[in-house]
Amino acid sequence: LIGTFDQDCYIEAPFHCAYGFNIHLADEVYLNAGCTILDSAPVRIGSGSMLGPGVHIYCADHHRDREKRRAGLEQAIPVTIGADVWIGGRAVILPGVTVGDGAIVAAGAVVTGDIAAGERVAGVPARPL
């Protein structure tokens, strides 16, 4: 189901993904119950990272133009989560986002842009604390 799954990774049920083969988990990654990864592009999660319950990661991005969106035009943009990242429950990571090593994303945050290594963010949209 998973593209690469290194040592000591753990995924709590239920878990949902679009394809699975685009998901790459480094050592000791933990996904709590209810995580959803829509992996129409590669999703890489670094070693020691933890995702809280109900975290969603999306790669699919739809066109902003209504007619093109109606025609089904979409793109898939990779998501990268660094090492030792903690993502709180019910957070959402949008297409194309990179979360740097050691960053913390608060529960319920909606991450629309990159997060620097060691940064802590919260809110909708997520902003540095």
Side-chain angles (χ1 to χ4, degrees), residues 22-80:
N22 280 324
I23 300 171
H24 304 281
L25 307 178
D27 293 329
E28 300 176 355
V29 169
Y30 177 76
L31 278 61
N32 208 322
C35 287
T36 296
I37 302 177
L38 300 183
D39 61 316
S40 50
V43 173
R44 300 185 187 288
I45 302 177
S47 62
S49 288
M50 300 182 297
L51 279 62
V55 169
H56 285 207
I57 298 174
Y58 306 143
C59 292
D61 192 29
H62 301 277
H63 205 284
R64 303 306 180 264
D65 178 271
R66 180 171 86 175
E67 295 304 318
K68 291 179 182 176
R69 187 171 57 247
R70 184 173 283 199
L73 185 62
E74 74 175 58
Q75 60 183 342
I77 308 172
V79 171
T80 302

Side-chain angles (χ1 to χ4, degrees), residues 111-127:
V111 181
T112 61
D114 293 348
I115 299 172
E119 191 168 41
R120 298 186 322 170
V121 301
V124 180
R127 299 193 191 290

